[in-house]
Amino acid sequence: MQTAISVTASAPAIDMPRRRLLGAYLEEARSECLRYMRAPGFMLPIMLFPGMFYLLFGVLMVKSNGADAARYLLASYGVFGVMSPGLFGFGVSLALERDGGLLTFKRALPMPPGAYLLGKMLMAMAAAGVVILLLLSMALTLGHVSLSLTQAGALLLTGVLGVLPFCALGMYVGTLIKGQGAPGMLQLVYLPMSFMSGLWMPLPMLPKFLQQIAPVWPSYHLDMLALAAVGMNKGSLLGHALVLVGFAAAFLLMAARRLRRQG
């Protein structure tokens, strides 16, 4: 009798964490989103900077170059835009929170181990979606770019999922350096990578050496997927997708290992 009672009484204690696990993840994601929404000085430049670039170079300066050039730059500047939430949203914030002790405090809380990083990842995906929607609205209204609904949706999906490799890279950089040095270091990653991937100008216009090493960068492979989304790349896409998945997995594992050592 006593054994049966003790087993029955312990069942809720076993089942309760399982029932509340999803709720804990969602609550952490919600709190992460609210925290960034209350710091517009950090998020607005990440989302508006690509729009300013696209307005200048993709709308105002490309009108005489035809519809293909306008669609090409929409895809390329879309990739340029979604890199930013991943690199800076993850890298800078992680470095600052690690220096300030917030990461240690989060580890001490009774929360699922991946909830903190999942919240940041969802925030980066949401910001990437906003960037793509902003560029699409500018392209369709100001740039008069012709896109089908399927192409616009494919570009949006590419941007939302394509931010993940850059989240992993930003996370790794955030484990390497102090918070004050993170913005400068990430700029040294963000801007040269964008240029050498052909995001600012087509690869054939770059020096031969840069054209040969372009496949090294994840932004090049994401650009190939974005160009396919708007009908500008008819080649095979599986290789590009696999490179991005492998890149994200590798940097995520390296970052997780460093965080375990630092914890």
Side-chain angles (χ1 to χ4, degrees), residues 77-124:
Y77 277 103
V79 174
F80 176 65
V82 303
M83 290 168 62
S84 185
L87 290 174
F88 293 94
F90 247 89
V92 175
S93 63
L94 181 63
L96 290 171
E97 290 162 8
R98 187 166 54 86
D99 286 353
L102 180 60
L103 194 56
T104 303
F105 174 72
K106 289 276 189 181
R107 286 172 175 169
L109 294 176
M111 58 187 291
Y116 167 75
L117 296 178
L118 179 63
K120 286 189 175 298
M121 181 187 74
L122 293 177
M123 184 60 203

Side-chain angles (χ1 to χ4, degrees), residues 38-239:
R38 291 168 180 168
F42 180 73
M43 289 304 296
L44 284 180
I46 287 178
M47 293 188 289
L48 296 182
F49 184 61
M52 294 173 58
F53 259 68
Y54 178 68
L55 177 62
L56 179 61
F57 297 105
V59 175
L60 299 180
M61 296 182 64
V62 80
K63 287 186 176 181
S64 61
N65 293 330
D68 286 347
R71 283 196 294 163
Y72 182 96
L73 289 177
L74 170 62
S76 295
Y77 277 103
V79 174
F80 176 65
V82 303
M83 290 168 62
S84 185
L87 290 174
F88 293 94
F90 247 89
V92 175
S93 63
L94 181 63
L96 290 171
E97 290 162 8
R98 187 166 54 86
D99 286 353
L102 180 60
L103 194 56
T104 303
F105 174 72
K106 289 276 189 181
R107 286 172 175 169
L109 294 176
M111 58 187 291
Y116 167 75
L117 296 178
L118 179 63
K120 286 189 175 298
M121 181 187 74
L122 293 177
M123 184 60 203
M125 294 174 72
V130 172
V131 169
I132 294 295
L133 289 174
L134 175 62
L135 296 188
L136 279 172
S137 64
M138 294 170 63
L140 296 174
T141 56
L142 302 177
H144 305 291
V145 176
S146 178
L147 288 179
S148 68
L149 185 60
T150 301
Q151 290 174 329
L155 183 61
L156 178 61
L157 181 63
T158 300
V160 170
L161 297 179
V163 74
L164 297 179
F166 302 98
C167 289
L169 177 57
M171 179 180 171
Y172 180 67
V173 173
T175 65
L176 293 176
I177 54 181
K178 298 290 185 181
Q180 291 182 343
M185 178 60 70
L186 287 167
Q187 288 286 4
L188 292 177
V189 174
Y190 179 43
L191 298 180
M193 184 189 296
S194 301
F195 174 73
M196 291 187 289
S197 301
L199 301 185
W200 294 353
M201 60 181 67
L203 277 177
M205 298 177 62
L206 298 179
K208 190 70 174 179
F209 171 70
L210 295 182
Q211 296 179 39
Q212 293 173 343
I213 66 170
V216 172
W217 316 117
S219 44
Y220 165 82
H221 297 280
L222 184 58
D223 189 35
M224 293 299 103
L225 297 181
L227 288 172
V230 298
M232 296 291 295
N233 180 14
K234 304 298 184 181
S236 175
L237 303 179
L238 180 60

